[in-house]
Amino acid sequence: DVQWADEVGLWHIPGETEFAFRLMDLETGDETTHLNISGGVLPDAWGNKDWSLVDINHFQFDEMDTVVYMSFRDLNAFLKTETFELDIGNHKGATAGVKWIAGSHNGSFAIVDLDGTRYEPGTPEYNQLY
């Protein structure tokens, strides 16, 4: 998956390198910064970069590139990062913690369906919402 950045660039995730997004300058092809996902309510296995568990299907940065939303096919989960600030051109990048996870056995909160049914983290129905 790729996405246009707020700056002149393109966000992407290099295949199986680390749990991080890279911002590429479209004029030069150079990496201008990156965003690591670590901390917050991030499960230990994800933080240890266990790629058998981290299967990002899609991602979406907000309009100012300060929050990322991700979906995970194999985990049946959606995730939102904490707010972060990027310093374009800073090759040290930035790190964002995970604010919440919806779905999977790692869910952060219950989900209430349109008919009022409540799904709690860890239940089979909750784990298969995606």
Side-chain angles (χ1 to χ4, degrees):
D1 213 0
V2 296
Q3 180 190 330
W4 290 111
D6 182 46
E7 299 290 327
V8 180
L10 186 74
W11 286 106
H12 67 104
I13 302 175
E16 296 190 24
T17 55
E18 57 188 51
F19 197 14
F21 296 88
R22 305 281 180 201
L23 181 59
M24 180 176 61
D25 183 312
L26 291 177
E27 292 179 6
T28 65
D30 295 335
E31 177 187 315
T32 57
T33 193
H34 62 274
L35 174 68
N36 294 309
I37 308 299
S38 180
V41 298
L42 185 72
D44 289 339
W46 297 15
N48 293 332
K49 316 230 184 338
D50 183 344
W51 280 94
S52 66
L53 296 177
V54 182
D55 173 31
I56 298 174
N57 188 30
H58 295 291
F59 65 87
Q60 180 72 46
F61 281 76
D62 71 353
E63 61 192 32
M64 299 303 293
D65 289 347
T66 58
V67 171
V68 182
Y69 299 88
M70 293 171 258
S71 66
F72 300 87
R73 183 177 24 245
D74 290 344
L75 294 169
N76 291 306
F78 296 91
L79 173 153
K80 179 182 179 182
T81 67
E82 297 167 344
T83 303
F84 55 87
E85 287 187 36
L86 291 171
D87 182 7
I88 304 302
N90 175 356
H91 294 284
K92 293 182 181 178
T95 299
V98 175
K99 186 168 186 170
W100 54 254
I101 299 171
S104 88
H105 58 280
N106 296 302
S108 304
F109 49 80
I111 297 174
V112 179
D113 204 342
L114 293 174
D115 66 3
T117 304
R118 185 176 178 90
Y119 301 100
E120 298 292 337
T123 61
E125 299 82 9
Y126 187 92
N127 293 347
Q128 299 171 4
L129 290 173
Y130 180 44

